[in-house]
Every structure is written in structure tokens, then in C-alpha cells.
Amino acid sequence: MPTALETLAEALAVDGRPARIEHGLLIVEVAPDAVAMTAARLAAELAFDLLLDVTAIDWPERPLRFDVVWHFYSTQRRLRVRLKTAVPERAAAVPSLTTLYGSAAFMERECHDMYGIGFVGNDDLRPILLYEGFVGHPLRKDYPKEREQPLVPYRTP
Amino acid sequence: MKPPPLATLPNPVRPAFAPEGEGGPVIVNIGPSHPATHGTVQIIAALDGERVVRTDVHAGYLHRGFEKECESHTWHNLIPYVDRLNYVSALINDFAYCDAVEQLMGVTITPRCRYLRTLLSEYSRLVDHLTCIAAGLMELGAMTAFLYLVMVRDYMYEHLANLTGARVTYTYGRIGGLARDLPADWLTRLADILDKYEVFVARVHGLIDRNRIFIDRMRDVGVISTADALHWGYTGPILRSTGAVLDLRRDTPYLAYAELDFEVPVGIKGDNYDRYYVRMREMDESVHMIRQLMEMLPAGPINVDDHRCTFPDKQLVYTEIESLINHFKLVMDGPAVPAGEIYVAHESPNGELGFYLVSTGGGVPYKVHVRAPSFVHMGGVHKMLEGYQLADIVPTFGSVNMIGGECDR
């Protein structure tokens, strides 16, 4: 008798790559162009009604530098899914999920702030945690932590 | 000598809409530092008379680079940092973070630690809800109710200071256990405070629940439906106030919640009044759970016996070389967390608090991401503000209980 997560894993085994279960959560890795389709299936067919989180991981030494990570939760089935895709630095863009989940809007803005990932279809990628005119993306591994970008210039003593 | 005049500063935010001129909506700016809102949040509102037509909510005024800073400290050193996310219920952050690291390491905490963490999580939830309700009531002018609730909260702060040594940011969780065991008579005083809580909360119920002014300000204001709440990522009391029976403590039990008897209170239509009442009822459930846990609390050690994360006794550090080296390695290199990634969510007083950790195998995390309920809630709060009066922004925003530290990280 397969568990609910295993049944779900079979349903989500897209483009040849099997979904795997780790720490009680289903991990689905897809190509960037399959993100929109997979998310739409999660939202519509598989009753994943909460988009919990959008973030990214920076691996500077990899050709596909960024992993973009989404976490979904189904309130009916009480299951969690992590959707992952890898994008290169030069084309760091994935489709926006704002049409499926309103909560994506703010979280995508944060991810855009912090990693410079573009979310195609989100028209409002203004800075949210950073300020207008901030240079760089602080959570990228090559961002110098010591760099100061004061909005108010320091006064000389 | 006169200092040179300061240059005009650039505006840190670009509003989503501009004034339309004569006859169009009036644009007002509220915050980021406003006496009637707790938390540094900026709301740019377009008004038609007194009615809010459109709002543009900005967070980030308290951004401290938490996630960046985490990448250059050992797993243990982050515990004071996670305290400062939701600083009203810091213990729940501690335990959620420690739980995530422990699961990644494959560490199982001791039974006493598990029950104690559950008890303290519920105690923290009480403090958080008391603060939220008290502040919300004060903003509507209910000073007596505010003082009643904050007085009880202060008993709890003092009581937690007795246990942890701090009133607000406790740094009490440890990977694999807790900082120290309960002091003598701590549970006796706890029972005493819970009795006091009941007296004062009964008075607040009497003062507020059927108060005409309160009902007029709260009923049918800031209404959100279950479908909208889910769409905008709401979790916790706000989602439950819409009538959805969803609570991680019941749906995906962690710590000792599976063994407890408790109800999940829900509202009827998701307005400000429901959010007030859901929180009031949740506090009663927390008290009920704490009383059960006081009975269930087993004796035994509070820290796991695992040299990868638990510090050896000071006595041993000073007398034997193995413990000295173990202590040194834990301080200098940090606990050895195997490579992998994990997402662990706890039901915080505001909703789902998730920690997404990525480790490449070492004492320092590769990435720490916090799924903060307040931040997600700020992304959907415009749904509760638009269409109501300007003056309704204050109670609605109060009932969302945005916590700046957690929202902006």
C-alpha cells in the first residue's frame, strides 16, 4: 500500500526525473519551462492551495548557478511539496506564479531583491525588503558583506 | 561653523500609484513610524473621502540582513538571531529552528525536552496573543483591558526571566536540548500565573465582548474569506478566523502535540471581531494544554547524549582531554550537520513559521531562509484594508499582528 506521498510522487514524475521523498516532504525537480505547468497542476488538480514560500539558492561554481525553490502545502491532504528548478546566471528568470497564488507576489519580490531572479509575469518587482536604488543582490554569495550603501550620507565629525 | 545643508534624500520607496490631480483620490502616507501602528510598516493609501480605495504596503524598514548574517556563523550561534525574528514569542522561533537542525542531523530529543518545549511553546503563544490583543484594544481606547492583559503578560515575562535569564529574547533553545532545566518551584508559580490569567481574561471578556463601541469598530470590518485567505497565503489565527479548521499542531503534529487534548477555535466570517475572539479562545486552549503538560512532564535529562551537538559538562571540559577537544570543536567549527536541505514548519502565534535550511556538511549553514508569516501576511493585507474607512486601518492592522523583526528579517 503506497503512502499518500508515494502516490503523489508518481503523479508528479515529470520529464523522466522521478520525484523523491526526503524529510517527510516530496521534492520535484523540473526544468524552468516546466515550472508553470507543474505549479498549475499542483494548484488545480492536486489541491495544493497554499504557496508557502519562494526562495533561491546560489551555487556560484555551477553553470546553472541558481536553484529557485517553491514550497507548497495542501490543506486537505496535509502534504508538502518542494518544487525546484535550476537557472543560469545569464538567464536567471522563471515564470511568476502570481496568477495561481496571490501570495507569490510579495515573495517573488523578495527573491528578486535578494538574488536578482526575474519572475516573468510579475509586473511589480519593486524592492520590498531593500530600498529603491540599492545596488546588487545581497544574498548572492559574491555580494561583499562589508559594502555599505547608506541612504543618508555619513556626516563628517 | 554651520554644517553644510543636507542634500535632498532619494525616496526609499516608489509608490505603485501617483496622485491623479483635481477630483481624483487623495493619497495619504501612513508610517513607517506611526504612533497608531505597531511595527515599522508603510501604507500608502488612495482615499475617496474617508474610504480607502487602494493601498500599497511596504515592509523592509527593519531589514537587518538576518539571512546573510546566518551564512557566516555556526549553527549554534544563530540561536540569538532567531530569537529576534518574532521577538514576542522568541521561544517558538528557537524551538522551530532547533527542530529543523535536529531533523537534518537525525537527532531525537529527550522526552523531558520534548514536553518542556511544547509547554514553553504554548506559554509563548499566550504571551504573544496577550500582546496582540492588548495592543489592539489599546488602539481603540480600551486602556483598562490593555492594562489587565499586559499585567498578566508581565507576570509571564518575569517568570520566563526566572527560567531563561531574559525577559524577551531568551536564547533558551539548544540544538539537541535546552539551555537549562526548570528552576525549583517554577511549575508552582506557573500554576499560580495561569489562575491569575483566568481571572483577568474573564474581566476582559466582560469589558469587551459585548461592548457596543468595540462591536461597531470590529464587526464586519476587514473581512476576508477562506478562499481569499488561502490565495494570499494566510495561515494561523487569521486563516482560522475565516472558519477554516487548519492548525499545524493538529494537522501535522510535532513535539508532543499528538498526545494533547485541545480544540482548534475558528471564527465565522473572518472579520476583526473574529480575529480577536479566535485569539482569546486560543489562549484558553493554550492554558488547557499547559495544564496537561505539567502533569505529563517526565523526569530525565534535557539534552541528548550526542557529542555532535551537545556541549560536554564544564566539569569534564576542565578535567579530561576528550571533552576539552569536543568543546573546542563545537565552539570553533560548530556542530557537524550533514549535507542536505530541510523545511520544517511550526505553528507560531501568527501562522506557519518555516525554516528552510541548506547545509553542505559543516558547522556553518550554506543558507538559512525563514518563511515568516508576517511577511506573507503583509503581501495580502491590502485585501482587508481596501473598501473600509481610513480609521479602520488601525484596528485591522492591529488584528493582523505584524511583527517587524520577523517580517523584515
mmCIF file of all heavy atoms in Angstrom, chain B residues 332-357:
data_model
loop_
_atom_site.group_PDB
_atom_site.id
_atom_site.type_symbol
_atom_site.label_atom_id
_atom_site.label_comp_id
_atom_site.label_asym_id
_atom_site.label_seq_id
_atom_site.Cartn_x
_atom_site.Cartn_y
_atom_site.Cartn_z
ATOM 1 N N MET B 332 34.545 26.235 17.894
ATOM 2 C CA MET B 332 35.278 26.783 16.755
ATOM 3 C C MET B 332 34.669 26.369 15.417
ATOM 4 O O MET B 332 34.563 27.191 14.513
ATOM 5 C CB MET B 332 36.754 26.339 16.797
ATOM 6 C CG MET B 332 37.476 26.769 18.054
ATOM 7 S SD MET B 332 37.340 28.528 18.402
ATOM 8 C CE MET B 332 38.396 29.222 17.142
ATOM 9 N N ASP B 333 34.320 25.097 15.273
ATOM 10 C CA ASP B 333 33.815 24.608 13.986
ATOM 11 C C ASP B 333 32.290 24.571 13.923
ATOM 12 O O ASP B 333 31.722 24.590 12.842
ATOM 13 C CB ASP B 333 34.332 23.189 13.706
ATOM 14 C CG ASP B 333 35.846 23.161 13.586
ATOM 15 O OD1 ASP B 333 36.427 24.252 13.493
ATOM 16 O OD2 ASP B 333 36.426 22.063 13.590
ATOM 17 N N GLY B 334 31.662 24.445 15.052
ATOM 18 C CA GLY B 334 30.206 24.327 15.062
ATOM 19 C C GLY B 334 29.790 22.874 14.957
ATOM 20 O O GLY B 334 30.589 22.003 14.642
ATOM 21 N N PRO B 335 28.517 22.597 15.220
ATOM 22 C CA PRO B 335 28.031 21.219 15.140
ATOM 23 C C PRO B 335 28.102 20.706 13.709
ATOM 24 O O PRO B 335 27.840 21.457 12.769
ATOM 25 C CB PRO B 335 26.570 21.305 15.600
ATOM 26 C CG PRO B 335 26.338 22.709 15.996
ATOM 27 C CD PRO B 335 27.452 23.547 15.512
ATOM 28 N N ALA B 336 28.470 19.440 13.539
ATOM 29 C CA ALA B 336 28.594 18.873 12.200
ATOM 30 C C ALA B 336 27.216 18.463 11.700
ATOM 31 O O ALA B 336 26.672 17.443 12.115
ATOM 32 C CB ALA B 336 29.526 17.673 12.228
ATOM 33 N N VAL B 337 26.661 19.281 10.819
ATOM 34 C CA VAL B 337 25.338 18.987 10.254
ATOM 35 C C VAL B 337 25.555 18.391 8.869
ATOM 36 O O VAL B 337 26.215 19.001 8.037
ATOM 37 C CB VAL B 337 24.484 20.268 10.182
ATOM 38 C CG1 VAL B 337 23.156 19.995 9.513
ATOM 39 C CG2 VAL B 337 24.273 20.839 11.565
ATOM 40 N N PRO B 338 25.038 17.181 8.606
ATOM 41 C CA PRO B 338 25.285 16.558 7.307
ATOM 42 C C PRO B 338 24.683 17.371 6.167
ATOM 43 O O PRO B 338 23.731 18.138 6.362
ATOM 44 C CB PRO B 338 24.608 15.188 7.435
ATOM 45 C CG PRO B 338 23.707 15.289 8.590
ATOM 46 C CD PRO B 338 24.242 16.336 9.490
ATOM 47 N N ALA B 339 25.250 17.199 4.973
ATOM 48 C CA ALA B 339 24.764 17.926 3.806
ATOM 49 C C ALA B 339 23.316 17.543 3.525
ATOM 50 O O ALA B 339 22.907 16.407 3.727
ATOM 51 C CB ALA B 339 25.632 17.608 2.602
ATOM 52 N N GLY B 340 22.546 18.505 3.088
ATOM 53 C CA GLY B 340 21.136 18.242 2.788
ATOM 54 C C GLY B 340 20.340 19.511 2.950
ATOM 55 O O GLY B 340 20.879 20.577 3.268
ATOM 56 N N GLU B 341 19.062 19.402 2.700
ATOM 57 C CA GLU B 341 18.204 20.564 2.899
ATOM 58 C C GLU B 341 16.912 20.109 3.554
ATOM 59 O O GLU B 341 16.490 18.961 3.391
ATOM 60 C CB GLU B 341 17.939 21.281 1.589
ATOM 61 C CG GLU B 341 17.477 20.397 0.460
ATOM 62 C CD GLU B 341 17.527 21.119 -0.866
ATOM 63 O OE1 GLU B 341 16.681 21.993 -1.067
ATOM 64 O OE2 GLU B 341 18.397 20.802 -1.689
ATOM 65 N N ILE B 342 16.324 21.002 4.309
ATOM 66 C CA ILE B 342 15.129 20.623 5.063
ATOM 67 C C ILE B 342 14.224 21.841 5.221
ATOM 68 O O ILE B 342 14.697 22.978 5.293
ATOM 69 C CB ILE B 342 15.522 20.022 6.434
ATOM 70 C CG1 ILE B 342 14.323 19.350 7.087
ATOM 71 C CG2 ILE B 342 16.126 21.072 7.349
ATOM 72 C CD1 ILE B 342 14.704 18.419 8.193
ATOM 73 N N TYR B 343 12.939 21.570 5.233
ATOM 74 C CA TYR B 343 11.961 22.621 5.551
ATOM 75 C C TYR B 343 11.119 22.113 6.706
ATOM 76 O O TYR B 343 10.495 21.057 6.608
ATOM 77 C CB TYR B 343 11.062 22.918 4.342
ATOM 78 C CG TYR B 343 10.006 23.956 4.625
ATOM 79 C CD1 TYR B 343 10.281 25.306 4.453
ATOM 80 C CD2 TYR B 343 8.743 23.595 5.089
ATOM 81 C CE1 TYR B 343 9.318 26.265 4.724
ATOM 82 C CE2 TYR B 343 7.781 24.543 5.369
ATOM 83 C CZ TYR B 343 8.076 25.875 5.179
ATOM 84 O OH TYR B 343 7.128 26.818 5.468
ATOM 85 N N VAL B 344 11.160 22.821 7.814
ATOM 86 C CA VAL B 344 10.379 22.417 8.982
ATOM 87 C C VAL B 344 9.489 23.591 9.387
ATOM 88 O O VAL B 344 9.965 24.728 9.461
ATOM 89 C CB VAL B 344 11.292 22.009 10.152
ATOM 90 C CG1 VAL B 344 10.510 21.857 11.428
ATOM 91 C CG2 VAL B 344 12.003 20.702 9.824
ATOM 92 N N ALA B 345 8.221 23.314 9.608
ATOM 93 C CA ALA B 345 7.290 24.386 9.957
ATOM 94 C C ALA B 345 6.670 24.108 11.315
ATOM 95 O O ALA B 345 6.298 22.980 11.618
ATOM 96 C CB ALA B 345 6.204 24.491 8.905
ATOM 97 N N HIS B 346 6.596 25.128 12.138
ATOM 98 C CA HIS B 346 5.869 25.066 13.403
ATOM 99 C C HIS B 346 4.721 26.068 13.342
ATOM 100 O O HIS B 346 4.804 27.056 12.618
ATOM 101 C CB HIS B 346 6.792 25.407 14.567
ATOM 102 C CG HIS B 346 7.657 24.260 15.009
ATOM 103 N ND1 HIS B 346 8.278 24.229 16.220
ATOM 104 C CD2 HIS B 346 7.990 23.099 14.398
ATOM 105 C CE1 HIS B 346 8.962 23.105 16.348
ATOM 106 N NE2 HIS B 346 8.814 22.407 15.249
ATOM 107 N N GLU B 347 3.695 25.806 14.135
ATOM 108 C CA GLU B 347 2.566 26.735 14.219
ATOM 109 C C GLU B 347 2.961 27.845 15.189
ATOM 110 O O GLU B 347 2.904 27.662 16.401
ATOM 111 C CB GLU B 347 1.321 25.994 14.700
ATOM 112 C CG GLU B 347 0.072 26.843 14.796
ATOM 113 C CD GLU B 347 -0.582 27.139 13.446
ATOM 114 O OE1 GLU B 347 -0.465 26.313 12.530
ATOM 115 O OE2 GLU B 347 -1.207 28.198 13.328
ATOM 116 N N SER B 348 3.393 28.970 14.658
ATOM 117 C CA SER B 348 3.743 30.092 15.530
ATOM 118 C C SER B 348 2.455 30.869 15.820
ATOM 119 O O SER B 348 1.442 30.630 15.175
ATOM 120 C CB SER B 348 4.780 30.976 14.847
ATOM 121 O OG SER B 348 4.145 31.932 14.033
ATOM 122 N N PRO B 349 2.470 31.801 16.777
ATOM 123 C CA PRO B 349 1.228 32.528 17.085
ATOM 124 C C PRO B 349 0.639 33.258 15.890
ATOM 125 O O PRO B 349 -0.548 33.538 15.854
ATOM 126 C CB PRO B 349 1.670 33.512 18.165
ATOM 127 C CG PRO B 349 2.863 32.906 18.775
ATOM 128 C CD PRO B 349 3.547 32.144 17.695
ATOM 129 N N ASN B 350 1.475 33.580 14.887
ATOM 130 C CA ASN B 350 0.978 34.299 13.720
ATOM 131 C C ASN B 350 0.652 33.400 12.554
ATOM 132 O O ASN B 350 0.097 33.856 11.570
ATOM 133 C CB ASN B 350 2.029 35.309 13.251
ATOM 134 C CG ASN B 350 1.915 36.600 14.012
ATOM 135 O OD1 ASN B 350 0.872 36.879 14.587
ATOM 136 N ND2 ASN B 350 2.963 37.366 14.016
ATOM 137 N N GLY B 351 1.062 32.141 12.608
ATOM 138 C CA GLY B 351 0.837 31.268 11.473
ATOM 139 C C GLY B 351 2.028 30.373 11.249
ATOM 140 O O GLY B 351 2.826 30.152 12.157
ATOM 141 N N GLU B 352 2.135 29.875 10.031
ATOM 142 C CA GLU B 352 3.195 28.903 9.759
ATOM 143 C C GLU B 352 4.564 29.584 9.739
ATOM 144 O O GLU B 352 4.852 30.407 8.886
ATOM 145 C CB GLU B 352 2.934 28.205 8.416
ATOM 146 C CG GLU B 352 4.114 27.355 8.003
ATOM 147 C CD GLU B 352 3.776 26.245 7.033
ATOM 148 O OE1 GLU B 352 2.600 25.865 6.954
ATOM 149 O OE2 GLU B 352 4.692 25.768 6.358
ATOM 150 N N LEU B 353 5.407 29.189 10.695
ATOM 151 C CA LEU B 353 6.782 29.665 10.739
ATOM 152 C C LEU B 353 7.660 28.543 10.216
ATOM 153 O O LEU B 353 7.777 27.501 10.853
ATOM 154 C CB LEU B 353 7.176 30.023 12.176
ATOM 155 C CG LEU B 353 8.640 30.343 12.406
ATOM 156 C CD1 LEU B 353 8.998 31.690 11.815
ATOM 157 C CD2 LEU B 353 8.984 30.314 13.877
ATOM 158 N N GLY B 354 8.254 28.734 9.042
ATOM 159 C CA GLY B 354 9.042 27.669 8.430
ATOM 160 C C GLY B 354 10.509 28.026 8.380
ATOM 161 O O GLY B 354 10.864 29.176 8.118
ATOM 162 N N PHE B 355 11.348 27.048 8.635
ATOM 163 C CA PHE B 355 12.788 27.236 8.449
ATOM 164 C C PHE B 355 13.234 26.346 7.308
ATOM 165 O O PHE B 355 13.023 25.139 7.348
ATOM 166 C CB PHE B 355 13.556 26.882 9.732
ATOM 167 C CG PHE B 355 13.563 27.992 10.740
ATOM 168 C CD1 PHE B 355 12.603 28.061 11.724
ATOM 169 C CD2 PHE B 355 14.531 28.981 10.674
ATOM 170 C CE1 PHE B 355 12.602 29.099 12.632
ATOM 171 C CE2 PHE B 355 14.533 30.015 11.577
ATOM 172 C CZ PHE B 355 13.571 30.074 12.567
ATOM 173 N N TYR B 356 13.828 26.949 6.296
ATOM 174 C CA TYR B 356 14.373 26.198 5.176
ATOM 175 C C TYR B 356 15.887 26.293 5.272
ATOM 176 O O TYR B 356 16.458 27.375 5.115
ATOM 177 C CB TYR B 356 13.852 26.794 3.861
ATOM 178 C CG TYR B 356 14.422 26.140 2.626
ATOM 179 C CD1 TYR B 356 14.418 24.755 2.488
ATOM 180 C CD2 TYR B 356 14.969 26.903 1.602
ATOM 181 C CE1 TYR B 356 14.944 24.159 1.358
ATOM 182 C CE2 TYR B 356 15.491 26.307 0.469
ATOM 183 C CZ TYR B 356 15.478 24.932 0.355
ATOM 184 O OH TYR B 356 16.003 24.342 -0.768
ATOM 185 N N LEU B 357 16.514 25.168 5.614
ATOM 186 C CA LEU B 357 17.957 25.160 5.845
ATOM 187 C C LEU B 357 18.644 24.367 4.753
ATOM 188 O O LEU B 357 18.164 23.308 4.353
ATOM 189 C CB LEU B 357 18.285 24.522 7.200
ATOM 190 C CG LEU B 357 17.520 25.018 8.425
ATOM 191 C CD1 LEU B 357 17.949 24.220 9.641
ATOM 192 C CD2 LEU B 357 17.788 26.489 8.652
#
